[in-house]
Amino acid sequence: MQRNEITWQAGGQQGEGLESLGAILASVLSRQGYYLYGFRQFSSRIKGGHTNYKIRIATQPVGTLNKQCDLLLALDQDTLVNEALAVGENGIILAEKAIADFYTGKGKLLAVPFNDIAKQYGTILQKNIVALGCTAAIFGLGEDCCAVQLQKEFGKKGEEAVAANLRVFKAGMEFVKTEAPELLAEKQLPALISNEPKLFLLGNEALAFGALSAGARFMAAYPITPASEVMEYMVKKVKELGGQMLQAEDEIAACTMAIGASYGGARAFTATSGPGLSLMAEAIGLAAMTETPLVIIHSQRGGPSTGLPTKHEQSDLFAAIYNTHGDTAKIVLSPSTIEEAFCDTFEAFNLAEEYQCPVIVLSDLQLSLATQTMPVPEYEELVIRRGKIAHSESLAAIKTPEYFARYSLAADDGISTRVLPGTPNGICLGTGLEHDESGRPSEAKLMRRQQTEKRLKKMQTFLAHYKKALFVDAPYEEADILLIGMTATRSCLAETAEVLRQEGKKVNHVQIRLLAPFPANEIMPYLQKSKKIVVVEHNATAQLAHLLRMQVEGCPHLESILQYDGDIMYPEELLVRCKEVL
Amino acid sequence: MSVLQDFRNNVKPNWCPGCGDYAVLAALQQAAVKLGLEPHQLAVVCGIGCSGRLSGYVYAYGMHTTHGRALPFAQGLKLANPELNVIACGGDGDGMAIGLGHTYHAIRRNVNLTYILMDNHVYGLTKGQTSPRSDWGFKTKTTPTGNIETPVATLEMALSAGASFVAQGFSTQLQELTDLIVAAVKHPGFSLVNVFSPCVTFNKVNTYDWFKERLVGIDSIEDYDRYDKGKVLQHILEHEGLLTGLLYEDRKKRSYEEVSGLANNNQMQSVRKFTKAEFNKLVEDFR
């Protein structure tokens, strides 16, 4: 399936408006009806340092970037030295005039005095809007659709600001019209086939919106890249809904506050990255031992320790599953598309309450920080389930020294009934110590075995019921190769599989959406149906491959394709590495 | 109407005979009765240590959390469940060592709950190590030649954090302690009640007698003004923190719930799906 698409990229120094340029362009194109995938690369600093924003513009859904670059705007030298390498003979580069000489490639170069034009019609800060104008000219985008977006973007700053930006925008368009008319509409946007209503948002916004839709009204969090946007979205929305987003003093406080709020009957959560998860380990154990619902959105970045705060990695797999000491019963979901980011987070709150345990929604930097098109979620499909909660009407009258059996061993599924504090006739205790059915500390050997088995039984019950453990695209009964991945590599693997199939290879693809408890039985048939199995992941120690070997009895031989340089994976490169395996 | 018996759960505390914490437990139970609470309207959230076991000895909703983290839990609980009366408890290890940061930030935040800190100047449950409240020179297994770190100044710390209610009690003064807890729960903000609660087993220096000889009730101080922070600080410094009573109160400071707007609009308990209209409006943000 040939994709009808075009790729745009802009590179420059941080603090020069590149993010804004990309955001405005993406909004314009999204409104037109295009499917977009945008990804920005940046450093851990505020101003200065190189940044670039790449947008893939297509007429069908796209879920990753590739190495193509059809139109590149180079506002700094780094762009001409690095990103420009991806521009082929048919590509166009618009380079800042002052540095244009640094380009030595084969693409069509047009030197544009972005800085000068900006200063002439506005201020130097608006050079990104000049770039927008040039882009519009080359894409054949009408002035009107961009004007609407500029109004939206700068309207808050007043009419004069909007007018100034329009002037600068038009100047950019004019420059191309007069200096390089042959480039006008040279990179025509592909023709749209359909225009169904679409959304365009950041992965973190999808995660946050999922939480909000699930009824989450308390979030305690500490800012950390690449999760901060979750708390930023929540703080804007939750107050008028009668909730609170509280920026805690640290991640330990954040996680523990969420547990307290959840114990109290609210739907509560936190969001963090690797370093934060390490801090939260003890608190997660408290939630597991007291059987209190807890949702943690964990967006992975380069580790270990402070690692690479703004770079992509998938190396917290083991930490997410195992960093809490003791036999901890917890659920770890790994959404692999932006739709799943929304619905898995929504579902996480249901699972946390039904199974009374911690649920980690394991995202990664690519999924969290890419901006992409998403269909409008189906409202009818959203169902809130709170699990076993007893309200006073159903509780027998009790008084001291009788307690409500919060940790009753009676149920076969391992799930006892919760009661929210404040409920008459529901008094019970909770403790991080091992306990009896009333929640009183207990060291008795039999009770210890029974409570341990109860907690672990809940996970078995969950695994038996959960239907979304895997994404499967496995049409072949006898495949040449099975590609396995998790979270954001989904589309990269899918596009690579597509190319290999076009070349006559039988390729199956499984993306694992549930990491704990591990769906061993469900994945086994696919492992058996393939001559070669390749586990593709962004870490150096092949954590997902290890997990498969550990969890799947009789697991066949697995090959690994690992990437741990901080960059996302490109289908072109994965294709080469897959062929080496085949 | 509840009576004292309603808050007793027949669980024998595993505290040593003579432990100061028995009095704190009794005072808390008596205070609950005086406040007219029913047991289910009370939640006791504790940390780790001998004092942390208290939540298991009161008949009320009780939660025994992690070391130093009772206050974050208690704040989350109170914000989610504003109708509940939340009392957090712990010892001086829990609140002044590992939990010191959370204590300070909880005071700053001023969520409407009460924190009873049982201060015995030692780590009891781990068998007698120095605590951040131990006196200079205090000898234990981990400081055999004497403590060489300045004790945390609880009261001054609380005042510097903007505390709106600071009280201090002593285990043998049960009536006063009960009244302080009643006042603390009634206070619309974060209330700190530090209690000298001697450890008879591991602290042979700061004993009941030691405290009796030194503690000064603020009623015996002429013109004591609990609303004047500067003067209160002066008294604290003069008496090296060995005062009892309701030491400081700020009646103007508004609670976190009030300032944040939660006091007027808290819907955390009503977990529900969005209406179609609400959902569509939120979806519009992403078009």
Side-chain angles (χ1 to χ4, degrees), chain A residues 563-581:
Chain A
Q563 181 171 329
Y564 41 92
D565 59 5
D567 199 359
I568 61 177
M569 225 174 258
Y570 300 94
E572 294 92 337
E573 291 172 347
L574 182 59
L575 183 66
V576 170
R577 296 178 75 177
C578 283
K579 285 186 174 170
E580 283 165 16
V581 169

Side-chain angles (χ1 to χ4, degrees), chain B residues 88 90-92 95-96 103 115-119 154 192-196:
Chain B
D92 48 299
M96 295 284 121
T103 303
Y115 181 36
I116 302 175
L117 203 161
M118 284 157 269
D119 184 359
T154 309
L192 173 66
V193 182
N194 194 58
V195 185
F196 294 119

Side-chain angles (χ1 to χ4, degrees), chain B residues 268-286:
Chain B
M268 294 198 218
Q269 291 290 310
S270 56
V271 174
R272 63 171 183 87
K273 180 174 164 168
F274 283 135
T275 62
K276 191 101 201 252
E278 285 172 321
F279 187 73
N280 289 338
K281 182 158 175 248
L282 285 163
V283 158
E284 273 314 298
D285 288 337
F286 304 123

